[in-house]
Amino acid sequence: MTPIIEFKNYTFKYRSQSEPTLRDIDLAVYPGEKVLIVGPSGSGKSTLVHCINGMVPFSFSGESSGTVTVGGKDPAKTGIFGMSKIVGTVLQDTDGQFIGLTVAEDVAFALENDCVPQDRMFELVDQVADVVDIRTLLGHAPTELSGGQKQRVSMAGVLVDDVDVLLFDEPLANLDPATGKRAIDLIDRICREREKTVIIIEHRLEDALYRDVDRIIVIGEGRVAADLKPDELLCSDILVREGIREPLYVTALKHAGCHLKSGDHPQHIETMNLAPYERQLREWAEKVKLPEKRPEKRSALEVLDLNFSYMTGKPVLSDIHFRIEKGEMLAVVGKNGAGKSTLSNLICGFLQPDRGKILLNGADIADKSIKERGEVIGLVMQNPNQMISKPMIFDEVALGLRVRGVPEEQVKERVYEKLKICGLYPFRNWPVSALSFGQKKRVTIASILVMDPEILILDEPTAGQDYRHYTEIMEFLKQLNETLGITIIMITHDMHLMLEYTDRAIVIADGQLVADDTPASVLTNEAVADRAYLKKTSLYDLAVRCNIADASGFVERFIYYERQVRADGGQTADL
């Protein structure tokens, strides 16, 4: 069979860089294959995709050697428009992909460019709307939609052109776990039923493997570090070596000293043969001792019977109540549209509650202005484009300090310190427009951290981050939490983050508080997980299938052991 995508000894160097981003790439993807590409930020994953869809060399110029062909054509000669008839790309930042004022207009955009007759246009738009289940949204404005709905609209916009290759750039970055599962299921269905070649770039490897993929290609420092079937890759140490997070159940088995074999099919915990590993896992779990619970501290933030609605008679939050102690690091979780971001806006004063109170350090803050609250509570929003107001990175991070009248020498020192912490110091003189979505996210975190807040609220702090930058940011937040006593509240869809870094989770579903418990208890409770669109951790399935009676306790032991391993610099912890 002839490859639909083929790289032969391909090297590419951006015009502005001294070293190649891609080196000696030899790679073939065949028609109908579904391929997952993983690798740390800066490894060359996005550049590889840009070579496939024609963005290189037309939007990103540089020097290349070797050859690349897509559908038998050279993208450099075919052009972006020509490649758009072969390759459809669904961007991570879907807001940057919308053109029309309504969903129907947006989906029809490519057809309008091709001068398709209107009757045929309506017919084709309806067809792809049914495929991705957006028929009821065709009259809506794209800006009104949830993250999952926006993604399906973007998919419709590329499917309507009947392309052969579909590229998905971080499709799970802004989705809750249950919506993410549906997205992966939809991509799989499109691949099979419409016989498309699918390439997925994703940091959340375990979630991306919810449905089978043919191969996983690992990109490291511009080279193909591995090109293997999932079962083979998960049994190796390649993912850890390249700084990519393994599925949690695989990590747990390896912590227990198990040597996985590809014949036991570790790609899916539900069907993996666990018989050879069960005894070893149980013995390991019994040896891990849990720490004592910490004593209660003074209240940092208290929410009392909070109610809020944007429209009378349609409550968004109902009778929300919880207490956060000083120095806590906790997660607020729930499905898209549950009211999590609304809650943070109420705490910061952007919205006023219909009923209820918010106490800060024991005092009601109803009469405090947004500015007064902002001196104590820092908010990092989910979409970095909504926070950034300066064209240059340094000026954006320095803005809050300059507004407060901090001397310029102190501004420079504090900004540089936070840029180093957030991995942005090399880009200090760059324009914000030159950054990726994940890098912009780090700029917004730096711009709040530089203000030294008492309470930090982060809305999806790690969305779109690779495992190394995720770990750097989270370890830094943990350091702030432990050394400076900053209270940290994270609104997140990342169940790994919740398990690894927090000791408590507040779960909101349909505007109501449905759980306030440890992450292990939340993610092993099927009723809570289903109601809040969470995903039961694969550690729960591992415990159940290995006949470990206390599944929640097993998850807690894994979390504690993982924290010890991180504290020891990645070495196996002493039990």
Side-chain angles (χ1 to χ4, degrees):
M1 187 187 295
T2 304
I4 191 168
I5 299 168
E6 188 170 27
F7 289 83
K8 287 185 178 178
N9 197 29
Y10 186 79
T11 295
F12 177 77
K13 179 173 76 71
Y14 288 104
R15 188 179 62 185
S16 59
Q17 295 186 335
S18 58
E19 293 294 322
T21 298
L22 297 177
R23 301 170 184 266
D24 307 320
I25 301 291
D26 284 302
L27 181 64
V29 178
Y30 293 88
E33 273 197 301
K34 187 166 69 159
V35 175
L36 177 61
I37 298 179
V38 297
S41 289
S43 62
K45 302 187 307 295
S46 295
T47 302
L48 195 70
V49 168
H50 292 153
C51 292
I52 294 170
N53 63 16
M55 298 291 281
V56 167
F58 295 100
S59 292
F60 305 105
S61 58
E63 301 171 10
S64 65
S65 61
T67 62
V68 55
T69 56
V70 180
K73 297 181 179 180
D74 180 353
K77 293 177 181 175
T78 308
I80 292 177
F81 179 73
M83 292 311 300
S84 71
K85 300 301 176 185
I86 305 170
V87 180
T89 307
V90 178
L91 301 173
Q92 174 188 348
D93 183 4
T94 50
D95 288 334
Q97 197 156 353
F98 293 132
I99 301 292
L101 296 177
T102 67
V103 168
E105 286 179 24
D106 199 81
V107 175
F109 181 71
L111 302 177
E112 289 180 310
N113 277 345
D114 293 341
C115 299
V116 172
Q118 197 171 59
D119 289 348
R120 178 63 177 155
M121 195 184 299
F122 278 107
E123 184 184 330
L124 289 170
V125 168
D126 286 345
Q127 282 178 11
V128 296
D130 287 336
V131 169
V132 299
D133 193 24
I134 58 166
R135 178 70 82 99
T136 57
L137 303 176
L138 291 176
H140 289 58
T143 51
E144 296 173 353
L145 307 181
S146 70
Q149 289 170 333
K150 286 178 179 179
Q151 191 182 71
R152 294 206 302 273
V153 172
S154 294
M155 289 167 70
V158 296
L159 282 173
V160 78
D161 231 2
D162 197 28
V163 293
D164 297 319
V165 180
L166 291 173
L167 301 179
F168 293 91
D169 188 4
E170 300 286 349
L172 303 177
N174 299 307
L175 303 182
D176 63 55
T179 304
K181 283 175 71 173
R182 284 203 294 272
I184 291 297
D185 189 59
L186 177 59
I187 291 169
D188 183 65
R189 186 158 54 82
I190 288 169
C191 179
R192 287 183 288 103
E193 293 177 3
R194 295 175 73 90
E195 298 180 344
K196 304 294 183 187
T197 303
V198 169
I199 295 177
I200 303 169
I201 297 176
E202 183 52 64
H203 290 305
R204 286 160 60 176
L205 175 64
E206 181 175 334
D207 294 334
L209 289 177
Y210 172 61
R211 289 286 180 257
D212 287 346
V213 300
D214 296 302
R215 292 146 61 199
I216 301 176
I217 296 167
V218 182
I219 304 294
E221 297 183 352
R223 301 179 188 274
V224 176
D227 182 353
L228 297 168
K229 292 185 180 297
D231 287 332
E232 295 170 357
L233 184 66
L234 293 176
C235 294
S236 73
D237 66 347
I238 294 169
L239 292 172
V240 173
R241 200 168 66 230
E242 295 295 331
I244 301 159
R245 181 164 50 194
E246 297 175 309
L248 286 180
Y249 62 91
V250 170
T251 303
L253 288 165
K254 290 181 178 179
H255 281 334
C258 301
H259 297 286
L260 305 188
K261 294 180 179 177
S262 60
D264 292 319
H265 304 297
Q267 181 177 357
H268 301 296
I269 183 61
E270 297 84 1
T271 53
M272 181 182 177
N273 175 26
L274 290 168
Y277 316 110
E278 182 178 328
R279 182 180 59 80
Q280 203 169 348
L281 184 73
R282 293 177 66 171
E283 288 175 356
W284 170 78
E286 287 167 7
K287 290 177 185 175
V288 179
K289 304 300 179 189
L290 291 172
E292 293 181 11
K293 291 188 176 179
R294 69 177 197 174
E296 269 196 23
K297 294 184 179 179
R298 287 188 297 123
S299 168
L301 189 75
E302 201 165 353
V303 171
L304 303 172
D305 299 319
L306 202 66
N307 287 260
F308 177 79
S309 56
Y310 290 104
M311 295 172 62
T312 306
K314 292 187 177 180
V316 174
L317 294 172
S318 301
D319 303 319
I320 302 294
H321 56 278
F322 56 82
R323 178 179 181 272
I324 298 173
E325 296 176 9
K326 280 190 177 296
E328 264 200 284
M329 192 164 175
L330 78 158
V332 178
V333 298
K335 66 181 178 181
N336 290 100
K340 305 184 300 299
S341 296
T342 299
L343 177 62
S344 69
N345 287 336
L346 287 162
I347 292 170
C348 292
F350 304 140
L351 300 171
Q352 295 301 317
D354 299 336
R355 195 173 74 247
K357 291 182 180 180
I358 300 171
L359 308 182
L360 180 64
N361 297 325
D364 192 342
I365 59 171
D367 59 345
K368 288 194 179 294
S369 67
I370 292 172
K371 179 180 179 296
E372 288 171 322
R373 296 187 198 198
E375 290 172 353
V376 184
I377 304 169
L379 172 66
V380 179
M381 297 168 74
Q382 178 177 351
N383 186 344
N385 298 322
Q386 292 177 342
M387 286 186 70
I388 293 169
S389 59
K390 295 289 184 181
M392 304 301 290
I393 292 172
F394 182 93
D395 293 336
E396 176 61 33
V397 179
L399 179 62
L401 297 177
R402 285 171 171 165
V403 167
R404 287 188 182 184
V406 175
E408 195 61 28
E409 275 306 306
Q410 285 186 36
V411 168
K412 188 174 181 180
E413 183 182 331
R414 287 168 67 173
V415 169
Y416 279 0
E417 178 194 357
K418 295 305 185 287
L419 287 175
K420 286 174 183 174
I421 286 159
C422 293
L424 292 166
Y425 184 74
F427 313 117
R428 59 194 178 280
N429 297 319
W430 282 32
V432 174
S433 58
L435 300 183
S436 69
F437 186 82
Q439 288 169 326
K440 287 180 184 176
K441 193 87 171 171
R442 281 184 272 149
V443 169
T444 60
I445 292 174
S447 69
I448 296 298
L449 291 178
V450 81
M451 306 294 289
D452 298 325
E454 282 182 36
I455 297 173
L456 194 58
I457 303 174
L458 299 110
D459 197 348
E460 294 295 348
T462 57
Q465 301 291 315
D466 67 19
Y467 189 43
R468 181 170 65 86
H469 285 125
Y470 158 97
T471 304
E472 282 178 3
I473 288 172
M474 291 311 303
E475 286 296 321
F476 170 65
L477 292 173
K478 181 167 165 277
Q479 182 187 354
L480 281 180
N481 173 253
E482 291 175 350
T483 59
L484 301 179
I486 292 178
T487 306
I488 295 177
I489 304 166
M490 290 174 289
I491 300 170
T492 184
H493 292 315
D494 191 333
M495 300 299 97
H496 287 203
L497 180 155
M498 180 171 124
L499 282 170
E500 289 175 328
Y501 286 97
T502 70
D503 294 316
R504 181 174 160 215
I506 291 168
V507 185
I508 297 176
D510 304 316
Q512 297 180 321
L513 183 75
V514 296
D516 182 349
D517 209 334
T518 65
S521 296
V522 167
L523 294 182
T524 54
N525 185 321
E526 198 154 353
V528 170
D530 287 348
R531 187 175 173 192
Y533 277 41
L534 306 179
K535 183 170 80 76
K536 282 201 325 296
T537 173
S538 57
L539 295 169
Y540 173 83
D541 295 314
L542 179 63
V544 169
R545 294 200 59 226
C546 288
N547 299 304
I548 296 172
D550 183 7
S552 178
F554 172 77
V555 175
E556 287 191 13
R557 283 174 165 77
F558 170 83
I559 295 165
Y560 182 58
Y561 185 85
E562 274 277 287
R563 289 175 183 174
Q564 286 181 296
V565 169
R566 279 202 306 276
D568 293 340
Q571 301 299 313
T572 303
D574 293 326
L575 296 175

